[in-house]
Coordinates of all heavy atoms in Angstrom, one line a residue:
M209 N 2.3 -1.3 -16.5 CA 1.0 -1.9 -16.7 C 0.7 -2.9 -15.5 O 1.6 -3.6 -15.1 CB 1.0 -2.6 -18.0 CG -0.4 -3.1 -18.4 SD -0.5 -3.9 -20.0 CE 0.1 -2.6 -21.1
A210 N -0.5 -2.8 -15.1 CA -0.9 -3.7 -14.0 C -2.1 -4.6 -14.5 O -2.7 -4.3 -15.5 CB -1.4 -2.8 -12.8
F211 N -2.3 -5.6 -13.7 CA -3.3 -6.6 -14.0 C -4.1 -6.9 -12.8 O -3.6 -6.9 -11.6 CB -2.7 -7.9 -14.5 CG -1.9 -7.7 -15.8 CD1 -0.6 -7.3 -15.8 CD2 -2.6 -7.9 -17.0 CE1 0.1 -7.1 -16.9 CE2 -1.9 -7.6 -18.2 CZ -0.5 -7.2 -18.2
A212 N -5.5 -7.1 -13.0 CA -6.4 -7.3 -11.8 C -7.0 -8.7 -11.9 O -7.4 -9.1 -13.0 CB -7.4 -6.3 -11.8
E213 N -7.1 -9.4 -10.8 CA -7.9 -10.6 -10.7 C -9.3 -10.2 -10.4 O -9.5 -9.5 -9.3 CB -7.3 -11.6 -9.7 CG -6.0 -12.2 -10.2 CD -5.5 -13.3 -9.3 OE1 -6.3 -13.9 -8.5 OE2 -4.3 -13.6 -9.3
I214 N -10.3 -10.6 -11.2 CA -11.7 -10.2 -11.0 C -12.5 -11.4 -10.6 O -12.4 -12.5 -11.2 CB -12.2 -9.6 -12.3 CG1 -11.4 -8.5 -12.9 CG2 -13.7 -9.1 -12.1 CD1 -11.2 -7.3 -12.1
L215 N -13.2 -11.2 -9.5 CA -14.1 -12.2 -8.9 C -15.5 -11.9 -9.4 O -16.0 -10.8 -9.3 CB -14.0 -12.2 -7.4 CG -14.8 -13.2 -6.6 CD1 -14.2 -14.6 -6.9 CD2 -14.8 -12.9 -5.2
F216 N -16.2 -13.0 -9.9 CA -17.6 -12.8 -10.4 C -18.6 -13.5 -9.5 O -18.2 -14.4 -8.7 CB -17.7 -13.4 -11.8 CG -16.8 -12.7 -12.8 CD1 -15.6 -13.2 -13.1 CD2 -17.3 -11.5 -13.4 CE1 -14.8 -12.5 -14.0 CE2 -16.5 -10.9 -14.3 CZ -15.2 -11.3 -14.6
Q217 N -19.9 -13.2 -9.6 CA -20.9 -13.9 -8.8 C -21.1 -15.3 -9.2 O -21.4 -16.1 -8.3 CB -22.2 -13.1 -9.0 CG -22.3 -11.8 -8.3 CD -23.7 -11.2 -8.4 OE1 -24.5 -11.6 -9.2 NE2 -23.9 -10.2 -7.6
Q218 N -20.9 -15.7 -10.4 CA -21.0 -17.1 -10.9 C -19.6 -17.7 -11.0 O -18.7 -17.0 -11.2 CB -21.8 -17.2 -12.2 CG -21.0 -16.7 -13.4 CD -21.1 -15.2 -13.7 OE1 -21.6 -14.5 -12.9 NE2 -20.6 -14.8 -14.8
K219 N -19.6 -19.0 -10.9 CA -18.3 -19.7 -11.0 C -17.9 -19.6 -12.5 O -18.7 -19.8 -13.4 CB -18.5 -21.1 -10.6 CG -17.2 -21.9 -10.3 CD -17.5 -23.0 -9.4 CE -16.3 -23.9 -9.2 NZ -15.3 -23.3 -8.3
V220 N -16.6 -19.4 -12.7 CA -16.1 -19.2 -14.1 C -15.3 -20.4 -14.6 O -14.9 -20.4 -15.7 CB -15.2 -17.9 -14.2 CG1 -16.1 -16.7 -14.0 CG2 -14.1 -17.9 -13.2
G221 N -15.0 -21.3 -13.7 CA -14.2 -22.5 -14.1 C -14.3 -23.5 -13.0 O -14.7 -23.3 -11.9
L222 N -13.8 -24.7 -13.3 CA -13.7 -25.8 -12.3 C -12.8 -25.5 -11.2 O -13.1 -25.8 -10.0 CB -13.4 -27.1 -13.0 CG -14.4 -27.7 -14.0 CD1 -13.9 -28.9 -14.6 CD2 -15.7 -27.9 -13.3
D223 N -11.6 -24.9 -11.5 CA -10.6 -24.7 -10.5 C -10.3 -23.2 -10.3 O -9.3 -22.9 -9.6 CB -9.4 -25.5 -10.8 CG -8.8 -25.1 -12.1 OD1 -9.5 -24.5 -12.9 OD2 -7.6 -25.5 -12.4
K224 N -11.0 -22.3 -10.9 CA -10.8 -20.9 -10.8 C -11.9 -20.2 -10.2 O -13.1 -20.4 -10.4 CB -10.6 -20.3 -12.2 CG -9.3 -20.8 -12.9 CD -9.2 -20.0 -14.2 CE -7.9 -20.4 -14.9 NZ -7.7 -19.7 -16.1
D225 N -11.5 -19.2 -9.3 CA -12.5 -18.3 -8.8 C -12.4 -16.9 -9.5 O -13.4 -16.2 -9.5 CB -12.2 -18.1 -7.3 CG -12.6 -19.3 -6.4 OD1 -13.6 -20.0 -6.8 OD2 -11.9 -19.6 -5.4
C226 N -11.3 -16.6 -10.0 CA -11.0 -15.3 -10.6 C -10.5 -15.4 -12.0 O -9.9 -16.4 -12.4 CB -10.0 -14.5 -9.8 SG -10.5 -14.2 -8.1
L227 N -10.7 -14.3 -12.8 CA -10.1 -14.2 -14.1 C -9.3 -12.9 -14.1 O -9.6 -12.0 -13.4 CB -11.2 -14.1 -15.2 CG -12.1 -15.3 -15.4 CD1 -13.1 -15.0 -16.5 CD2 -11.2 -16.5 -15.8
T228 N -8.2 -13.0 -14.9 CA -7.3 -11.8 -14.9 C -7.6 -10.9 -16.1 O -7.7 -11.4 -17.2 CB -5.8 -12.4 -15.0 OG1 -5.6 -13.3 -14.0 CG2 -4.8 -11.2 -15.0
Y229 N -7.6 -9.6 -15.8 CA -7.9 -8.6 -16.8 C -6.8 -7.5 -16.7 O -6.2 -7.3 -15.6 CB -9.2 -7.9 -16.6 CG -10.4 -8.8 -17.0 CD1 -10.9 -9.8 -16.2 CD2 -11.0 -8.6 -18.3 CE1 -11.9 -10.6 -16.6 CE2 -12.0 -9.4 -18.7 CZ -12.5 -10.4 -17.9 OH -13.5 -11.2 -18.3
E230 N -6.5 -6.9 -17.8 CA -5.5 -5.8 -17.9 C -6.2 -4.5 -17.4 O -7.3 -4.2 -17.7 CB -5.1 -5.6 -19.3 CG -4.1 -4.5 -19.5 CD -3.7 -4.4 -21.0 OE1 -3.7 -5.4 -21.7 OE2 -3.5 -3.3 -21.4
I231 N -5.4 -3.8 -16.6 CA -5.9 -2.4 -16.1 C -5.4 -1.4 -17.1 O -4.2 -1.2 -17.2 CB -5.4 -2.1 -14.7 CG1 -5.9 -3.2 -13.7 CG2 -5.8 -0.7 -14.3 CD1 -5.3 -3.0 -12.3
P232 N -6.3 -0.8 -17.9 CA -5.8 0.2 -18.8 C -5.3 1.5 -18.1 O -5.7 1.8 -17.0 CB -7.1 0.6 -19.6 CG -8.2 -0.3 -19.2 CD -7.7 -1.0 -17.9
S233 N -4.3 2.1 -18.8 CA -3.8 3.3 -18.3 C -4.9 4.4 -18.2 O -5.7 4.5 -19.1 CB -2.6 3.8 -19.1 OG -3.0 4.1 -20.4
G234 N -4.9 5.1 -17.2 CA -5.9 6.1 -17.0 C -7.1 5.7 -16.1 O -7.8 6.5 -15.6
L235 N -7.2 4.4 -15.8 CA -8.2 3.9 -14.8 C -7.5 3.7 -13.5 O -6.5 3.1 -13.4 CB -8.8 2.6 -15.3 CG -10.0 2.6 -16.2 CD1 -10.5 1.2 -16.4 CD2 -11.1 3.4 -15.6
D236 N -8.1 4.3 -12.5 CA -7.5 4.2 -11.1 C -8.3 3.0 -10.4 O -9.4 3.2 -10.0 CB -7.7 5.5 -10.3 CG -7.1 5.4 -8.9 OD1 -6.1 4.6 -8.8 OD2 -7.6 6.1 -8.0
I237 N -7.8 1.9 -10.4 CA -8.4 0.7 -9.9 C -7.9 0.3 -8.5 O -6.6 0.4 -8.3 CB -8.2 -0.5 -10.8 CG1 -8.7 -0.2 -12.2 CG2 -8.8 -1.8 -10.3 CD1 -10.2 -0.2 -12.4
K238 N -8.8 0.0 -7.6 CA -8.4 -0.4 -6.2 C -9.0 -1.8 -5.9 O -10.0 -2.1 -6.5 CB -8.9 0.6 -5.2 CG -8.4 2.0 -5.4 CD -9.1 3.0 -4.5 CE -8.7 4.4 -4.8 NZ -9.6 5.0 -5.8
I239 N -8.3 -2.5 -5.0 CA -8.8 -3.7 -4.5 C -10.2 -3.5 -3.9 O -10.3 -2.6 -3.1 CB -7.8 -4.4 -3.6 CG1 -6.6 -4.8 -4.4 CG2 -8.4 -5.6 -2.9 CD1 -5.5 -5.3 -3.5
G240 N -11.1 -4.3 -4.2 CA -12.5 -4.2 -3.6 C -13.4 -3.4 -4.4 O -14.6 -3.3 -4.1
Q241 N -13.0 -2.9 -5.5 CA -13.8 -2.0 -6.4 C -14.6 -2.8 -7.4 O -14.1 -3.9 -7.8 CB -12.9 -1.0 -7.1 CG -13.6 0.2 -7.7 CD -12.5 1.2 -8.2 OE1 -11.3 0.9 -8.3 NE2 -13.0 2.4 -8.5
L242 N -15.8 -2.4 -7.8 CA -16.6 -3.0 -8.8 C -16.2 -2.5 -10.2 O -16.1 -1.3 -10.3 CB -18.1 -2.8 -8.5 CG -18.7 -3.5 -7.3 CD1 -20.1 -3.1 -7.1 CD2 -18.6 -5.0 -7.4
V243 N -16.1 -3.4 -11.1 CA -15.7 -3.0 -12.5 C -16.6 -3.7 -13.5 O -17.2 -4.8 -13.2 CB -14.2 -3.3 -12.8 CG1 -13.3 -2.4 -11.9 CG2 -13.9 -4.8 -12.6
K244 N -16.7 -3.2 -14.7 CA -17.4 -3.8 -15.8 C -16.3 -4.4 -16.8 O -15.4 -3.7 -17.2 CB -18.2 -2.8 -16.6 CG -19.5 -2.5 -15.9 CD -20.4 -1.6 -16.8 CE -21.6 -1.2 -16.1 NZ -22.5 -0.3 -16.9
V245 N -16.5 -5.7 -17.1 CA -15.6 -6.4 -18.1 C -16.5 -7.2 -19.0 O -17.6 -7.5 -18.8 CB -14.6 -7.3 -17.3 CG1 -13.7 -6.4 -16.4 CG2 -15.3 -8.3 -16.5
K246 N -15.8 -7.6 -20.1 CA -16.5 -8.6 -21.0 C -16.1 -10.0 -20.6 O -15.0 -10.3 -20.4 CB -16.0 -8.3 -22.4 CG -16.6 -7.0 -22.9 CD -16.6 -6.9 -24.4 CE -17.2 -5.6 -24.9 NZ -17.1 -4.4 -24.2
L247 N -17.2 -10.8 -20.5 CA -17.0 -12.2 -20.2 C -17.9 -13.0 -21.1 O -19.1 -12.9 -21.0 CB -17.3 -12.5 -18.7 CG -17.3 -13.9 -18.2 CD1 -15.9 -14.5 -18.3 CD2 -17.8 -14.0 -16.8
R248 N -17.3 -13.8 -21.9 CA -18.1 -14.6 -22.9 C -19.0 -13.8 -23.7 O -20.2 -14.0 -23.8 CB -18.8 -15.7 -22.2 CG -17.9 -16.7 -21.5 CD -18.7 -17.8 -20.8 NE -17.8 -18.7 -20.1 CZ -17.9 -18.9 -18.8 NH1 -18.9 -18.4 -18.1 NH2 -17.0 -19.6 -18.1
C249 N -18.5 -12.7 -24.3 CA -19.2 -11.8 -25.2 C -20.3 -11.0 -24.5 O -21.2 -10.4 -25.2 CB -19.7 -12.5 -26.4 SG -18.4 -13.2 -27.4
K250 N -20.4 -11.0 -23.2 CA -21.4 -10.3 -22.4 C -20.7 -9.3 -21.5 O -19.6 -9.6 -21.0 CB -22.3 -11.2 -21.7 CG -23.2 -12.1 -22.5 CD -24.1 -12.9 -21.7 CE -24.9 -13.8 -22.6 NZ -25.7 -14.8 -21.9
E251 N -21.3 -8.2 -21.2 CA -20.8 -7.3 -20.2 C -21.2 -7.8 -18.8 O -22.4 -8.0 -18.5 CB -21.3 -5.9 -20.4 CG -20.5 -4.9 -19.7 CD -20.9 -3.5 -20.2 OE1 -21.9 -3.0 -19.8 OE2 -20.1 -2.9 -21.0
K252 N -20.2 -8.0 -17.9 CA -20.5 -8.5 -16.5 C -19.8 -7.5 -15.5 O -18.9 -6.8 -15.8 CB -19.9 -9.9 -16.3 CG -20.4 -10.9 -17.2 CD -21.8 -11.3 -16.7 CE -22.3 -12.5 -17.5 NZ -23.6 -12.9 -17.1
I253 N -20.4 -7.5 -14.3 CA -19.8 -6.8 -13.2 C -19.0 -7.7 -12.3 O -19.5 -8.8 -12.0 CB -20.9 -6.1 -12.4 CG1 -21.6 -5.0 -13.3 CG2 -20.3 -5.4 -11.2 CD1 -22.8 -4.3 -12.7
G254 N -17.8 -7.3 -12.0 CA -17.0 -8.2 -11.1 C -16.3 -7.3 -10.1 O -16.3 -6.1 -10.1
L255 N -15.7 -8.0 -9.1 CA -15.0 -7.3 -8.0 C -13.5 -7.5 -8.1 O -13.1 -8.6 -8.4 CB -15.5 -8.0 -6.7 CG -14.9 -7.4 -5.4 CD1 -15.6 -6.1 -5.0 CD2 -15.0 -8.4 -4.3
V256 N -12.8 -6.4 -8.0 CA -11.3 -6.5 -8.1 C -10.8 -7.2 -6.8 O -11.0 -6.7 -5.7 CB -10.7 -5.1 -8.2 CG1 -9.2 -5.2 -8.2 CG2 -11.2 -4.5 -9.5
W257 N -10.3 -8.4 -7.0 CA -9.9 -9.2 -5.8 C -8.4 -9.0 -5.5 O -8.0 -9.1 -4.4 CB -10.2 -10.6 -6.2 CG -10.1 -11.6 -5.0 CD1 -9.2 -12.5 -4.8 CD2 -11.1 -11.6 -4.0 NE1 -9.5 -13.2 -3.6 CE2 -10.6 -12.6 -3.1 CE3 -12.2 -10.9 -3.6 CZ2 -11.3 -13.0 -1.9 CZ3 -12.9 -11.2 -2.5 CH2 -12.4 -12.3 -1.6
K258 N -7.6 -8.8 -6.5 CA -6.2 -8.7 -6.3 C -5.6 -7.9 -7.5 O -6.1 -8.0 -8.6 CB -5.6 -10.1 -6.3 CG -4.2 -10.3 -5.9 CD -3.9 -11.8 -5.9 CE -2.5 -12.1 -5.5 NZ -2.2 -13.6 -5.6
I259 N -4.5 -7.2 -7.3 CA -3.8 -6.4 -8.3 C -2.4 -6.9 -8.3 O -1.7 -7.0 -7.3 CB -3.9 -4.9 -8.1 CG1 -5.4 -4.5 -8.2 CG2 -3.0 -4.1 -9.1 CD1 -5.6 -3.0 -7.9
E260 N -1.9 -7.2 -9.6 CA -0.5 -7.6 -9.7 C 0.2 -6.8 -10.8 O -0.5 -6.4 -11.7 CB -0.5 -9.1 -10.1 CG -1.0 -10.0 -9.0 CD -0.9 -11.5 -9.3 OE1 -0.3 -11.8 -10.4 OE2 -1.4 -12.3 -8.6
K261 N 1.5 -6.6 -10.7 CA 2.3 -5.9 -11.7 C 2.8 -6.8 -12.8 O 3.0 -6.4 -13.9 CB 3.5 -5.2 -11.0 CG 3.1 -4.2 -10.0 CD 2.6 -3.0 -10.6 CE 2.2 -2.0 -9.5 NZ 1.5 -0.9 -10.0
E262 N 3.0 -8.1 -12.4 CA 3.6 -9.1 -13.4 C 2.6 -9.5 -14.4 O 1.4 -9.9 -14.1 CB 4.1 -10.3 -12.6 CG 4.9 -11.2 -13.4 CD 5.4 -12.4 -12.6 OE1 5.9 -12.1 -11.5 OE2 5.4 -13.5 -13.1
K263 N 3.0 -9.4 -15.7 CA 2.2 -9.8 -16.8 C 2.0 -11.4 -16.8 O 3.0 -12.1 -16.7 CB 2.8 -9.4 -18.1 CG 2.0 -9.7 -19.3 CD 2.6 -9.2 -20.6 CE 1.9 -9.8 -21.7 NZ 1.2 -8.9 -22.6
P264 N 0.8 -11.9 -16.9 CA 0.6 -13.3 -17.0 C 1.0 -13.9 -18.3 O 1.2 -13.2 -19.3 CB -0.9 -13.5 -16.8 CG -1.5 -12.2 -17.2 CD -0.5 -11.1 -16.9
A265 N 1.2 -15.2 -18.4 CA 1.7 -15.9 -19.6 C 0.6 -16.0 -20.6 O 0.9 -16.5 -21.7 CB 2.2 -17.3 -19.2
F266 N -0.6 -15.6 -20.3 CA -1.7 -15.8 -21.3 C -2.3 -14.4 -21.7 O -2.0 -13.4 -21.1 CB -2.9 -16.6 -20.7 CG -3.2 -16.2 -19.3 CD1 -4.1 -15.2 -19.0 CD2 -2.6 -16.8 -18.2 CE1 -4.4 -14.8 -17.7 CE2 -2.9 -16.4 -16.9 CZ -3.8 -15.4 -16.6
K267 N -3.1 -14.4 -22.7 CA -3.7 -13.2 -23.2 C -4.8 -12.6 -22.2 O -5.5 -13.4 -21.7 CB -4.4 -13.4 -24.6 CG -5.0 -12.2 -25.2 CD -5.6 -12.5 -26.5 CE -6.2 -11.3 -27.1 NZ -6.9 -11.5 -28.4
T268 N -4.8 -11.3 -22.0 CA -5.8 -10.7 -21.2 C -6.5 -9.6 -21.9 O -6.0 -9.1 -22.9 CB -5.1 -10.1 -19.9 OG1 -4.1 -9.1 -20.4 CG2 -4.4 -11.1 -19.1
F269 N -7.7 -9.4 -21.5 CA -8.6 -8.4 -22.0 C -8.6 -7.2 -21.0 O -8.5 -7.4 -19.8 CB -10.0 -8.9 -22.3 CG -10.0 -9.9 -23.4 CD1 -10.1 -11.3 -23.0 CD2 -10.0 -9.5 -24.7 CE1 -10.1 -12.2 -24.0 CE2 -10.0 -10.5 -25.7 CZ -10.1 -11.9 -25.4
P270 N -8.9 -6.0 -21.5 CA -8.9 -4.8 -20.6 C -10.2 -4.7 -19.8 O -11.3 -5.2 -20.3 CB -8.7 -3.6 -21.6 CG -9.3 -4.1 -22.9 CD -9.0 -5.6 -22.9
I271 N -10.1 -4.1 -18.7 CA -11.3 -3.7 -17.9 C -12.0 -2.5 -18.7 O -11.3 -1.6 -19.1 CB -10.9 -3.2 -16.5 CG1 -10.3 -4.4 -15.7 CG2 -12.1 -2.6 -15.8 CD1 -9.7 -4.1 -14.4
D272 N -13.3 -2.6 -18.8 CA -14.0 -1.6 -19.6 C -14.2 -0.3 -18.8 O -13.9 0.8 -19.3 CB -15.4 -2.1 -20.0 CG -15.3 -3.2 -21.0 OD1 -14.3 -3.3 -21.8 OD2 -16.2 -4.1 -21.1
E273 N -14.7 -0.4 -17.6 CA -14.9 0.8 -16.7 C -15.1 0.4 -15.3 O -15.4 -0.7 -15.0 CB -16.1 1.6 -17.3 CG -17.4 0.9 -17.2 CD -18.6 1.7 -17.7 OE1 -19.1 2.6 -17.0 OE2 -19.0 1.4 -18.8
T274 N -15.0 1.4 -14.4 CA -15.3 1.2 -13.0 C -16.8 1.6 -12.7 O -17.3 2.4 -13.4 CB -14.4 2.1 -12.1 OG1 -14.6 3.4 -12.5 CG2 -12.9 1.7 -12.3
I275 N -17.3 1.0 -11.7 CA -18.7 1.2 -11.3 C -18.8 2.5 -10.4 O -19.5 3.4 -10.6 CB -19.4 0.0 -10.6 CG1 -19.3 -1.2 -11.6 CG2 -20.8 0.3 -10.2 CD1 -20.1 -1.1 -12.8
K276 N -17.9 2.4 -9.4 CA -17.8 3.6 -8.4 C -16.4 3.8 -8.2 O -15.5 3.0 -8.4 CB -18.5 3.2 -7.1 CG -20.0 3.1 -7.2 CD -20.6 2.9 -5.8 CE -22.1 2.8 -5.9 NZ -22.7 2.5 -4.6
N277 N -16.1 5.0 -7.7 CA -14.7 5.3 -7.4 C -14.2 4.7 -6.1 O -13.0 4.6 -5.9 CB -14.5 6.8 -7.4 CG -14.6 7.4 -8.8 OD1 -14.4 6.7 -9.8 ND2 -14.8 8.7 -8.9
Q278 N -15.1 4.4 -5.2 CA -14.7 3.9 -3.9 C -14.8 2.4 -3.9 O -15.7 1.8 -4.6 CB -15.7 4.4 -2.7 CG -15.7 5.8 -2.6 CD -17.0 6.4 -3.2 OE1 -17.7 5.8 -3.9 NE2 -17.3 7.6 -2.7
P279 N -14.0 1.7 -3.2 CA -14.1 0.2 -3.1 C -15.5 -0.2 -2.5 O -16.0 0.4 -1.6 CB -13.0 -0.2 -2.2 CG -12.0 0.9 -2.3 CD -12.8 2.1 -2.5
F280 N -16.0 -1.3 -3.0 CA -17.3 -1.9 -2.6 C -17.0 -2.7 -1.3 O -17.9 -2.7 -0.4 CB -17.9 -2.8 -3.7 CG -19.2 -3.4 -3.3 CD1 -20.3 -2.7 -3.3 CD2 -19.3 -4.8 -3.1 CE1 -21.5 -3.2 -3.0 CE2 -20.5 -5.4 -2.8 CZ -21.6 -4.6 -2.8
L281 N -15.9 -3.4 -1.2 CA -15.5 -4.1 0.0 C -14.2 -3.6 0.5 O -13.3 -3.2 -0.3 CB -15.3 -5.6 -0.4 CG -16.5 -6.4 -0.7 CD1 -16.1 -7.8 -1.1 CD2 -17.5 -6.4 0.4
S282 N -14.0 -3.5 1.8 CA -12.7 -3.1 2.4 C -11.7 -4.3 2.4 O -12.1 -5.4 2.2 CB -12.9 -2.6 3.8 OG -13.3 -3.7 4.7
E283 N -10.5 -4.0 2.7 CA -9.5 -5.0 2.7 C -9.8 -6.1 3.8 O -9.5 -7.2 3.7 CB -8.1 -4.4 2.9 CG -7.6 -3.8 1.6 CD -6.1 -3.4 1.7 OE1 -5.3 -4.2 2.3 OE2 -5.8 -2.3 1.3
N284 N -10.3 -5.6 4.9 CA -10.7 -6.5 6.0 C -11.8 -7.4 5.6 O -11.8 -8.6 6.0 CB -11.1 -5.7 7.3 CG -9.9 -5.1 8.0 OD1 -8.8 -5.6 7.8 ND2 -10.1 -4.0 8.7
Q285 N -12.8 -6.9 4.9 CA -13.9 -7.8 4.4 C -13.4 -8.8 3.4 O -13.8 -9.9 3.4 CB -15.0 -6.9 3.7 CG -15.7 -6.1 4.7 CD -16.6 -5.1 4.1 OE1 -16.3 -4.4 3.1 NE2 -17.8 -4.9 4.6
I286 N -12.4 -8.5 2.6 CA -11.8 -9.4 1.6 C -11.0 -10.5 2.4 O -11.1 -11.7 2.1 CB -10.9 -8.7 0.6 CG1 -11.8 -7.8 -0.3 CG2 -10.1 -9.6 -0.2 CD1 -11.1 -7.0 -1.3
K287 N -10.3 -10.1 3.4 CA -9.6 -11.1 4.2 C -10.5 -12.0 4.9 O -10.3 -13.2 5.0 CB -8.7 -10.4 5.3 CG -7.5 -9.7 4.7 CD -6.7 -9.0 5.9 CE -5.6 -8.2 5.3 NZ -4.9 -7.4 6.4
L288 N -11.6 -11.5 5.4 CA -12.7 -12.3 6.0 C -13.3 -13.3 5.0 O -13.5 -14.5 5.3 CB -13.8 -11.5 6.6 CG -14.9 -12.2 7.3 CD1 -14.5 -13.1 8.4 CD2 -16.0 -11.2 7.7
A289 N -13.6 -12.9 3.8 CA -14.1 -13.7 2.8 C -13.1 -14.9 2.4 O -13.5 -16.0 2.2 CB -14.5 -12.9 1.5
K290 N -11.8 -14.5 2.3 CA -10.8 -15.6 2.1 C -10.8 -16.6 3.2 O -10.7 -17.8 2.9 CB -9.4 -14.9 1.9 CG -9.3 -14.2 0.6 CD -7.9 -13.5 0.6 CE -7.7 -12.7 -0.7 NZ -6.4 -12.1 -0.8
W291 N -10.9 -16.1 4.4 CA -10.8 -17.0 5.6 C -12.1 -17.9 5.6 O -11.9 -19.1 5.8 CB -10.8 -16.2 6.9 CG -10.7 -17.1 8.1 CD1 -9.7 -17.7 8.7 CD2 -11.9 -17.5 8.8 NE1 -10.1 -18.4 9.7 CE2 -11.4 -18.4 9.9 CE3 -13.3 -17.3 8.8 CZ2 -12.3 -19.0 10.8 CZ3 -14.1 -17.9 9.7 CH2 -13.6 -18.7 10.7
I292 N -13.2 -17.4 5.3 CA -14.5 -18.1 5.3 C -14.4 -19.2 4.2 O -14.8 -20.4 4.4 CB -15.7 -17.3 5.1 CG1 -16.0 -16.4 6.3 CG2 -16.9 -18.0 4.7 CD1 -17.0 -15.3 6.1
S293 N -13.9 -18.8 3.0 CA -13.7 -19.8 1.9 C -12.8 -20.9 2.3 O -13.1 -22.1 2.0 CB -13.2 -19.0 0.7 OG -12.9 -19.9 -0.3
K294 N -11.7 -20.7 2.9 CA -10.8 -21.7 3.3 C -11.3 -22.6 4.5 O -11.3 -23.8 4.4 CB -9.4 -21.2 3.7 CG -8.6 -20.7 2.6 CD -7.3 -20.1 3.0 CE -6.5 -19.6 1.8 NZ -5.2 -19.1 2.2
Y295 N -11.9 -21.9 5.5 CA -12.4 -22.6 6.6 C -13.6 -23.6 6.3 O -13.6 -24.7 6.8 CB -12.8 -21.6 7.7 CG -13.1 -22.3 9.0 CD1 -12.1 -22.6 9.9 CD2 -14.5 -22.5 9.4 CE1 -12.5 -23.2 11.2 CE2 -14.8 -23.1 10.6 CZ -13.8 -23.4 11.5 OH -14.1 -24.0 12.7
Y296 N -14.5 -23.1 5.5 CA -15.7 -23.9 5.2 C -15.6 -24.6 3.8 O -16.5 -25.2 3.4 CB -16.9 -23.0 5.2 CG -17.3 -22.5 6.5 CD1 -17.1 -21.2 6.9 CD2 -17.8 -23.4 7.5 CE1 -17.4 -20.7 8.2 CE2 -18.2 -22.9 8.7 CZ -17.9 -21.6 9.1 OH -18.3 -21.2 10.4
F297 N -14.4 -24.6 3.2 CA -14.1 -25.2 1.9 C -15.2 -24.9 0.9 O -15.8 -25.7 0.2 CB -14.1 -26.8 2.1 CG -13.1 -27.2 3.0 CD1 -13.4 -27.7 4.3 CD2 -11.7 -27.2 2.7 CE1 -12.5 -28.1 5.2 CE2 -10.8 -27.6 3.6 CZ -11.1 -28.1 4.9
C298 N -15.5 -23.6 0.7 CA -16.5 -23.1 -0.2 C -15.8 -22.1 -1.2 O -14.8 -21.5 -0.9 CB -17.6 -22.5 0.5 SG -17.2 -21.0 1.4
P299 N -16.4 -22.0 -2.4 CA -15.8 -21.0 -3.3 C -16.0 -19.6 -2.9 O -16.9 -19.3 -2.1 CB -16.6 -21.3 -4.6 CG -17.8 -22.0 -4.2 CD -17.5 -22.7 -2.9
L300 N -15.1 -18.7 -3.3 CA -15.3 -17.3 -3.0 C -16.6 -16.7 -3.5 O -17.2 -15.9 -2.9 CB -14.1 -16.5 -3.5 CG -12.7 -16.9 -2.9 CD1 -11.6 -16.3 -3.7 CD2 -12.7 -16.3 -1.5

């Protein structure tokens, strides 16, 4: 089982940029792909920012579905976004 860190358009916490969701078996999820998840009882679209194999210490909810089969952002674009965020001290 794998887990994905999902980045949303709006800020989700004071010190968090991403929330962790479980990747259900049967879904082929890639970094940079757009997915639909439930956030505060509403369906939201988020970007897969990172994929991890290790189960987190907290409860996770599953990803509902993928938007497209291809990634929305490439790995280079994600690296650039991380650099911009650190360099300019801004949220992702």
Side-chain angles (χ1 to χ4, degrees):
M209 187 176 301
F211 298 87
E213 289 189 21
I214 308 295
L215 183 67
F216 297 95
Q217 287 183 344
Q218 73 274 8
K219 196 158 177 73
V220 293
L222 294 175
D223 59 346
K224 290 185 179 183
D225 288 324
C226 298
L227 295 177
T228 304
Y229 284 82
E230 179 183 328
I231 300 174
S233 60
L235 272 184
D236 184 31
I237 303 288
K238 299 173 190 85
I239 293 174
Q241 196 169 14
L242 293 175
V243 294
K244 283 187 183 178
V245 296
K246 291 204 178 28
L247 177 63
R248 299 183 185 120
C249 299
K250 295 181 182 175
E251 197 170 75
K252 297 286 184 176
I253 295 175
L255 181 80
V256 177
W257 194 250
K258 190 176 181 185
I259 296 177
E260 296 184 6
K261 299 286 182 192
E262 189 176 318
K263 182 178 168 117
F266 47 85
K267 182 180 177 183
T268 58
F269 294 99
I271 294 173
D272 293 332
E273 64 181 280
T274 58
I275 302 296
K276 291 184 179 179
N277 289 337
Q278 303 105 339
F280 182 71
L281 294 178
S282 70
E283 286 189 43
N284 287 335
Q285 290 171 318
I286 290 173
K287 287 179 186 177
L288 176 63
K290 287 178 183 179
W291 180 85
I292 290 170
S293 175
K294 286 182 182 180
Y295 188 81
Y296 291 106
F297 302 105
C298 63
L300 291 167

